[in-house]
Each structure stands twice: as structure tokens, then as C-alpha cells.
Amino acid sequence: QVQLVESGGGLVQAGGSLRLSCATSGRTFSSYTMGWFRQAPGKEREFVGTISWSTGVTSYADSVKGRFTISRDNAKNTVYLQMNSLKPEDTAVYYCAARPNTDYLRYNYWGQGTQVTVSS
């Protein structure tokens, strides 16, 4: 059974940092791209960034560029989202997801999400 399990969310003051983890299991994701998304209350799900599991190449939404960093640990089958200089508008449920490298549109595996709350 394929699983993506996020952890590391919590409550932090504006300007603070958090590191989210996405532990994967159940299959090999070497030919996949891992994505981070977030959804705030009353808003649509928003793209945060991606990392290629095989190459480590990353991409970010403009809203988080320069503040967030995505990395992966192949030995631990885990992807990370390091979030620095957090702002209240970063408050959301954060999800990790996986899509095949050849399918740019369809993320077919999703985690359950972890809540991040940034207080002002």
C-alpha cells in the first residue's frame, strides 16, 4: 500500500521556521516528482513547489520562493519542506503528493496533510 505521511506541522510565530516531512512507503518513487501543496480555509489548493526525486531539481511558487526549500533524503524515502520567514498568510494545511515524471498534470498519490498555523 502506497503511503505518503506528512508531519512537522504546528503553531509558529511570524518570522519563525518549520520543517515538514513527507515519508513515503509502498513503492519506489525514483521516477516521480514530489510536490508540496497547501490549502487555507475557504481557499483553493495552492501549489507550493516540487522536487524531482531522481535529479533533485526543484521549482517553487513565487509566493514562497526564497523562503521555502524542498529537499529529499533518498535513504529515508522522505521529502522535506523547510519553511523560513513564515508569514500569517502561510497558514494552511500542507500536503505532499507524487506524480510520474511523464505526467505533468496528475498527482496520483497524496498524503493526509499537516496543519501549519502562523500567528502574527
Side-chain angles (χ1 to χ4, degrees), residues 80-118:
Y80 303 98
L81 177 64
Q82 178 67 45
M83 305 185 294
N84 299 328
S85 302
L86 282 162
K87 306 174 182 180
E89 51 263 44
D90 294 319
T91 295
V93 177
Y94 284 71
Y95 300 90
C96 67
R99 64 164 177 83
N101 288 337
T102 54
D103 189 341
Y104 292 94
L105 298 178
R106 189 171 68 100
Y107 284 84
N108 51 355
Y109 299 113
W110 290 84
Q112 83 289 350
T114 185
Q115 176 71 47
V116 171
T117 303
V118 184

Side-chain angles (χ1 to χ4, degrees), residues 1-5 23-29 109-110:
Q1 181 182 359
V2 176
Q3 284 191 313
L4 305 180
V5 180
T24 70
S25 62
R27 68 159 297 145
T28 301
F29 286 95
Y109 299 113
W110 290 84

Side-chain angles (χ1 to χ4, degrees), residues 57-72:
V57 173
T58 56
S59 67
Y60 300 95
D62 288 343
S63 59
V64 306
K65 199 171 294 183
R67 299 188 298 123
F68 290 11
T69 302
I70 300 174
S71 62
R72 88 275 195 231

